[in-house]
Amino acid sequence: YGLEKTKIRQLYNFINIDEYKPEYTRGEYIIYVGRFIKEKGVMEMLEAYKDLPDEKLLIIGAGELESDMNDYISDNNMTNVEMLGPIYAPEVFEYIQKSKALIIPSIWYENNPIIMLQAMALGKMIIGADIGGIPELIDDEETGLVYKYNSINDLKRVIKRLEILDIEFMGRGARRKVEQIATPEVHYEGLMKIFEAVVKNKE
C-alpha cells in the first residue's frame, strides 16, 4: 500500500492470561468457535469432516450460513458433527478446555484472532489455515498444525496427524507462546517502546 516498512511496527493483541486455566488433557473433539460466514471457511471444514467419520467436531457460533451448514450435515448423515449454536464466555471456555484443539479454517486474511489466544491460554493447540496472521501464532508441531488454506485434502491430512502427535505437548507449547507474546505486560512494554520511538524521531 505504499507504506515504508521502516515505519511499520507489529504489536499482538493481548488477553488477561490469569483468567484462563489451562487444561492439557487430550479431549474427544476438535472445536470451532466463530461466525458462520463464507470467509471463515466453515463449509470447507464440513466437507473435510464428511470424509472423517471417526473424528468428532463441535461447532459453536451463529451466522448467515447456519441453515446451509445444518443441511449439509443432515444430507451427508454426519453424526460426527454437532452444532451447539452461540455460547459465550465463560461457558464457551469450558468446551474449549475439553477439546483436543481449536480449528481456524478461514479462507480470508484474519489478523490476530482473539479466540486463538484464548484457546492457547487454555492449553489447546491450534489447527490453522496458512493465511493472514493465523500462521504467525502457530509453531508447526509445537503449538499446533498449519495447513494450506482452502485445501480440504490438506485439512484432512493434519486432522489425521493428531492420532500420532503429542497433543498435550503442543497444548503446553501454546500456553507458553501466549505468555511470551500476548500478556498485558508484554503488550504494554511493546506499546511504550513504539511511543518512545515516535517521540525520539520527532525530537
Side-chain angles (χ1 to χ4, degrees):
Y1 293 101
L3 298 175
E4 295 180 27
K5 289 184 178 181
T6 57
K7 293 185 177 181
I8 298 173
R9 298 292 183 272
Q10 180 187 43
L11 187 63
Y12 288 110
N13 289 325
F14 71 93
I15 57 174
N16 294 317
I17 197 166
D18 292 339
E19 297 177 1
Y20 300 87
K21 181 181 178 181
E23 177 57 67
Y24 300 114
T25 55
R26 187 185 187 101
E28 297 181 355
Y29 53 83
I30 292 172
I31 191 167
Y32 170 85
V33 180
R35 290 181 293 157
F36 302 161
I37 58 175
K38 179 181 178 181
E39 294 86 348
K40 294 293 185 179
V42 288
M43 296 307 297
E44 289 77 9
M45 175 179 67
L46 289 180
E47 189 171 346
Y49 267 88
K50 181 183 68 173
D51 297 327
L52 299 169
D54 295 328
E55 296 291 341
K56 187 172 181 181
L57 174 66
L58 223 57
I59 299 176
I60 293 176
E64 61 192 48
L65 292 181
E66 184 170 354
S67 178
D68 291 342
M69 293 168 70
N70 278 316
D71 288 346
Y72 190 90
I73 292 167
S74 176
D75 291 345
N76 291 282
N77 194 29
M78 296 171 65
T79 57
N80 58 326
V81 178
E82 186 175 359
M83 301 263 287
L84 297 182
I87 300 174
Y88 305 99
E91 186 181 359
V92 68
F93 298 144
E94 295 177 7
Y95 283 97
I96 295 174
Q97 284 174 319
K98 296 175 183 176
S99 71
K100 293 180 185 177
L102 177 82
I103 184 170
I104 306 286
S106 295
I107 58 175
W108 73 337
Y109 293 91
E110 300 281 1
N111 181 15
N112 184 200
I114 293 293
I115 190 64
M116 284 184 69
L117 299 178
Q118 292 172 324
M120 293 167 74
L122 292 167
K124 297 303 167 183
M125 59 164 285
I126 306 295
I127 297 174
D130 65 346
I131 188 170
I134 297 170
E136 291 180 22
L137 294 174
I138 303 174
D139 300 317
D140 206 41
E141 295 193 13
E142 293 185 11
T143 65
L145 297 171
V146 179
Y147 72 96
K148 296 176 183 178
Y149 88 96
N150 208 24
S151 172
I152 293 164
N153 286 334
D154 205 39
L155 176 53
K156 289 190 289 187
R157 177 187 66 81
V158 298
I159 292 173
K160 290 176 181 178
R161 291 214 53 168
L162 295 186
E163 298 176 4
I164 61 173
L165 294 176
D166 189 336
I167 290 177
E168 180 179 332
F169 169 80
M170 288 188 282
R172 291 184 182 278
R175 172 73 185 204
R176 284 194 300 271
K177 177 102 174 179
V178 172
E179 291 172 348
Q180 293 167 359
I181 70 169
T183 64
E185 294 78 15
V186 170
H187 185 88
Y188 174 78
E189 182 178 343
L191 187 60
M192 292 307 296
K193 286 181 179 179
I194 293 172
F195 286 156
E196 290 166 3
V198 171
V199 171
K200 184 176 181 180
N201 289 335
K202 287 185 175 296
E203 290 177 350

